[in-house]
């Protein structure tokens, strides 16, 4: 349970939101609706800075799943027109048509080029107990000109995401030997092959793509398209596990068409000879061989040399600037302890994660929350809709409305809407409905009750 800060000395302080991405800006909208003053601190030069870095990638979630209700209410008086709810935006479109207008209407509540470097309690490091919960938070930041600043806050919502900390090549979670030395030949993002300079980097080259999720599918499909135009372009698809019936997703049976098309495109890249799949390969070293690179597995296998490596092995949270706070994090996922069992990728897919709120996001340190992708730690099953529900619940709790904080107000398709990267440029809106695997009915999730559905 969250106890709202009501002391006169702290009640007038802003609630600091770290990150002006989709969830951070939604948090600000919900706080405004509750009469709480937000201050959004964004490390980048614009709203949605991280989203803009994958602006070329199309989501396979529709606009109806990507606009927060409180944000839409805030935008409505400005004349903002909601995009077609059945259409699939690119990251760039999400930023330009929604995130930027939302940041604009929030005005000076959003500060850009403000990188948070530390969060603590006023006059209390993490060891000190005395009057700890009565002290406001101190947030240290660095501005674009290098000047340092300290802001006092009544509460802190960290919605900074995980984009800045991609996971490395090494199968043990650590950088492979030689990975840092080969950094100029390694990318941790889906390449934008419409960019001439990026296209030239991969055209006619052999590229290792490491990963087994939606981003890896996207990269494989992009490289396969490049291979059709540029002979000599080829991909080596590196999987830490074997290939099974679920490796490429649901394909034509997937009731979320854009996601099904993504898996089929990756399969076509392999079947068409544009990519070779290498299974059970856990990389331990990257060795230079002339102008090329050789991947070495822990079992001693060595792959044929490649020119470039694209690492798409997921992301992890940067917790370094929260070190003086008392967080309760799961030892595996680095997610809040109560949330971790609900999102564990060993058990759950995006379709079996049910809506959750302030109770699952609470920490021993009252008044601080990780929200959005940051709250999921290393789990990849995050949905924008779920993040919007998180911040609605947090804002209600900070306003002292515990009943609303604990009430679930999110309707999901029966098996969830799995967010992520997609390939659809012109999807048929009539087909873009329903859940992951079952009939396209919707289910109102009750308070605390998990969705009774199969996985994706």
């Amino acid at each position: 349970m969250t106890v709202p800060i009501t002391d006169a000395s702290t009640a007038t302080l802003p609630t600091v939101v770290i990150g002006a991405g989709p969830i951070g800006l939604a948090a600000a909208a919900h706080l405004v609706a509750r009469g709480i003053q937000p201050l959004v601190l964004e490390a980048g030069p614009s709203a949605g800075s991280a989203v803009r870095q994958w602006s070329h990638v199309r989501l396979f979630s529709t606009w109806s799943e990507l606009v927060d209700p409180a944000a839409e209410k805030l935008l409505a008086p400005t004349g903002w027109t909601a995009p077609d709810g059945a259409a699939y935006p690119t990251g760039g479109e999400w930023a330009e048509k929604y995130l930027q207008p939302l940041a604009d209407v929030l005005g000076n509540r959003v500060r850009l080029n403000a990188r948070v470097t530390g969060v603590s309690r006023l006059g209390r490091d993490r060891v000190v107990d005395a009057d700890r919960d009565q002290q406001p938070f101190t947030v240290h930041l660095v501005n674009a000109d290098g000047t340092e600043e300290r802001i006092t806050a009544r509460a802190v919502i960290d919605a900074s995401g995980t984009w800045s900390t991609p996971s490395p090549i090494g199968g043990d979670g650590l950088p492979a030997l030689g990975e840092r030395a080969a950094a100029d030949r390694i990318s941790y993002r889906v390449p934008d092959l419409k960019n001439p300079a990026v296209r030239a980097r991969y055209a006619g080259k052999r590229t290792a793509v490491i990963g087994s999720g939606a981003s890896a599918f996207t990269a494989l499909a992009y490289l396969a398209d490049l291979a059709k135009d540029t002979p000599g372009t080829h991909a080596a698809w590196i999987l830490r596990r074997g290939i099974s019936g679920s490796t490429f997703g649901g394909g034509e049976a997937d009731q979320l068409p854009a996601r099904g098309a993504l898996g089929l495109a990756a399969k076509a890249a392999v079947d068409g000879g544009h990519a070779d799949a290498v299974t059970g390969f856990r990389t331990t070293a990257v060795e230079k061989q002339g102008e090329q690179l050789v991947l070495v597995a822990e079992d001693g296998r060595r792959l044929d040399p490649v020119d470039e490596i694209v690492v798409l092995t997921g992301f992890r949270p940067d917790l370094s600037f929260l070190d003086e706070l008392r967080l309760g994090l799961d030892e595996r996922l680095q997610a809040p302890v109560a949330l971790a069992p609900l999102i564990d990728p060993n058990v759950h897919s995006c379709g079996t994660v049910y809506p959750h709120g302030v109770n699952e996001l609470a920490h021993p340190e009252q008044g601080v929350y990780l929200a959005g992708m940051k709250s999921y730690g290393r789990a990849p099953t995050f949905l924008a809709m779920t993040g919007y529900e998180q911040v609605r619940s947090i804002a209600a709790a900070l306003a002292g409305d515990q009943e609303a904080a604990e009430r679930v107000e999110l309707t999901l398709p029966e098996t969830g809407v799995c967010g992520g990267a997609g390939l659809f440029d012109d999807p048929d809106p009539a087909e873009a409905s329903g859940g992951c695997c079952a009939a396209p009915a919707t289910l109102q999730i009750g308070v605390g009750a998990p969705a009774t559905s199969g996985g994706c």
Side-chain angles (χ1 to χ4, degrees):
M1 179 175 178
T2 298
V3 179
I5 298 175
T6 56
D7 184 271
S9 64
T10 56
T12 58
L13 296 176
T15 289
V16 164
V17 179
I18 305 173
I23 308 307
L25 292 175
H30 282 280
L31 291 169
V32 168
R34 287 283 182 172
I36 299 172
Q37 179 70 6
L39 176 60
V40 183
L41 302 176
E42 167 58 45
S46 61
S49 289
V51 174
R52 294 173 193 272
Q53 291 184 45
W54 48 271
S55 61
H56 59 291
V57 177
R58 190 171 297 279
L59 292 103
F60 56 70
S61 293
T62 62
W63 270 115
S64 64
E65 298 146 8
L66 297 171
V67 175
D68 174 77
E72 188 167 11
K73 289 181 181 178
L74 198 61
L75 284 164
T78 70
W80 179 80
T81 302
D84 178 1
Y88 299 84
T90 62
E93 290 167 342
W94 198 15
E96 289 299 329
K97 296 183 179 181
Y98 170 62
L99 300 180
Q100 188 60 56
L102 181 53
D104 290 343
V105 77
L106 287 166
N108 60 10
R109 300 182 184 100
V110 178
R111 283 186 53 182
L112 305 176
N113 295 305
R115 180 171 58 86
V116 173
T117 58
V119 183
S120 188
R121 289 280 189 177
L122 182 64
R124 308 289 189 275
D125 64 22
R126 66 183 298 162
V127 176
V128 178
D129 291 332
D131 298 323
R132 185 177 190 86
D133 290 341
Q134 283 69 53
Q135 302 305 311
F137 292 92
T138 55
V139 180
H140 289 225
L141 59 95
V142 175
N143 296 302
D145 61 3
T147 58
E148 296 181 279
E149 190 174 347
R150 181 173 60 207
I151 292 172
T152 309
R154 61 172 292 192
V156 176
I157 302 172
D158 182 359
S160 59
T162 57
W163 178 256
S164 64
T165 48
S167 296
I169 292 175
D172 56 5
L174 300 173
L177 299 179
E179 181 173 348
R180 294 187 180 93
D184 61 330
R185 310 287 288 281
I186 300 175
S187 172
Y188 299 86
R189 309 287 188 254
V190 175
D192 180 5
L193 297 184
K194 293 181 179 179
N195 181 311
V198 176
R199 190 177 183 87
R201 176 174 176 176
Y202 296 96
K205 305 290 181 60
R206 178 175 168 81
T207 300
V209 176
I210 304 175
S212 59
S215 295
F217 287 174
T218 305
L220 289 169
Y222 284 179
L223 289 169
D225 285 341
L226 179 59
K228 296 171 186 176
D229 297 329
T230 311
T233 304
H234 194 80
W237 183 24
I238 315 301
L239 298 106
R240 292 171 178 170
R241 301 175 183 175
I243 291 181
S244 67
S246 62
T247 296
F248 296 102
E252 293 178 353
D254 196 325
Q255 294 191 38
L256 203 61
R259 190 187 62 231
L262 180 58
L264 289 175
K267 187 175 188 299
V270 175
D271 293 345
H274 302 301
D276 297 322
V278 182
T279 60
F281 194 97
R282 295 182 175 272
T283 308
T284 188
V286 179
E287 298 180 356
K288 291 188 176 181
Q289 182 175 305
E291 296 299 317
Q292 293 184 300
L293 303 172
V294 174
L295 295 176
V296 183
E298 61 185 24
D299 60 8
R301 279 185 292 166
R302 301 171 64 88
L303 294 187
D304 291 339
V306 298
D307 302 290
E308 299 285 344
I309 300 174
V310 176
V311 185
L312 301 167
T313 53
F315 296 86
R316 54 187 61 179
D318 176 8
L319 301 167
S320 61
F321 59 87
L322 304 176
D323 196 47
E324 290 303 318
L325 298 177
R326 298 176 177 181
L327 303 182
L329 299 175
D330 178 75
E331 68 274 9
R332 292 174 301 160
L333 298 183
Q334 296 177 296
V337 170
L339 176 61
L342 312 181
I343 61 174
D344 185 349
N346 294 299
V347 179
H348 293 282
S349 67
C350 52
T352 59
V353 174
Y354 68 92
H356 51 272
V358 69
N359 289 340
E360 292 84 359
L361 298 171
H363 293 279
E365 192 84 71
Q366 293 189 16
V368 62
Y369 301 95
L370 309 186
M373 192 69 224
K374 185 73 171 277
S375 73
Y376 272 45
R378 299 193 184 198
T381 47
F382 175 69
L383 315 171
M385 293 172 71
T386 307
Y388 296 155
E389 173 67 3
Q390 287 180 343
V391 295
R392 182 207 62 79
S393 175
I394 291 169
L398 291 174
D401 189 348
Q402 197 65 23
E403 187 276 330
E406 295 181 357
R407 182 178 66 244
V408 176
E409 297 183 359
L410 176 63
T411 301
L412 289 173
E414 187 172 347
T415 48
V417 182
C418 310
L423 290 173
F424 265 20
D425 285 327
D426 297 293
D428 182 355
E431 296 180 350
S433 63
C436 299
C437 317
T442 59
L443 174 67
Q444 176 66 47
I445 309 298
V447 177
T452 54
S453 64
C456 295

